[in-house]
Amino acid sequence: MSGFVLDLVAQALLAAAAAVGFGLSFAVPAPVLAFCAAGGALGRGLRHALGPAGAGMPLEWATLVAAATVSLLAIYGAQRLRAHPKAFTVAAMIPMIPGVQLFTALLAVAQMQRHGFSPDLLASAIESGLAAAHVIAALAVGLAVPGLLFYRRRPLI
């Protein structure tokens, strides 16, 4: 198997484990944990396949597509389990939070506090912070897609 496929499988399996862990911490019922794992694996795997390492889509757009896909499929799971879709979509979205970018931004800010201002550190903090903010915004919009499409009380026009 190629390195990309192994990396994709590893991303999906680790995301599934993280989603189950967060599902447990959110006191999600046991039958719903399988959907948490499937959503986490699907979301992280789809983002990895579409993102810069795969199809070359920017990470923010790949995150939006993956989050919207998981949210839309959660409607089916919610109807089947008679549970609220957010019960497992929130736990499935957490493995897609951009921890590396957030850490890099905070590390650059901490280094500026300790060693003084540097244009390179400021650029690193801003670049990483904005990248993380864009990914988090994509997660939020992707999580809201079913509500925007199906659960509207007023018509679009």
Side-chain angles (χ1 to χ4, degrees), residues 28-145:
V28 171
V32 178
L33 287 176
F35 283 92
C36 289
L42 175 70
R44 185 71 183 228
L46 185 60
R47 181 176 87 163
H48 186 72
L50 292 175
M57 187 182 286
L59 185 64
E60 296 84 3
W61 288 103
T63 302
L64 177 65
V65 170
T69 302
V70 170
S71 292
L72 290 170
L73 290 175
I75 293 173
Y76 169 74
Q79 290 172 348
R80 185 170 174 222
L81 294 173
R82 295 184 183 175
H84 197 277
K86 300 293 187 246
F88 41 93
T89 54
V90 171
M93 298 294 170
I94 289 178
M96 290 192 282
I97 290 178
V100 173
Q101 288 99 343
L102 287 171
F103 180 76
T104 303
L106 291 175
L107 186 63
V109 169
Q111 286 178 346
M112 279 193 296
Q113 271 187 325
R114 175 176 251 170
H115 303 294
F117 176 79
S118 165
D120 292 336
L121 287 175
L122 181 63
S124 175
I126 290 173
E127 182 180 337
S128 297
L130 285 175
H134 288 141
V135 171
I136 291 171
L139 285 171
V141 171
L143 192 59
V145 162

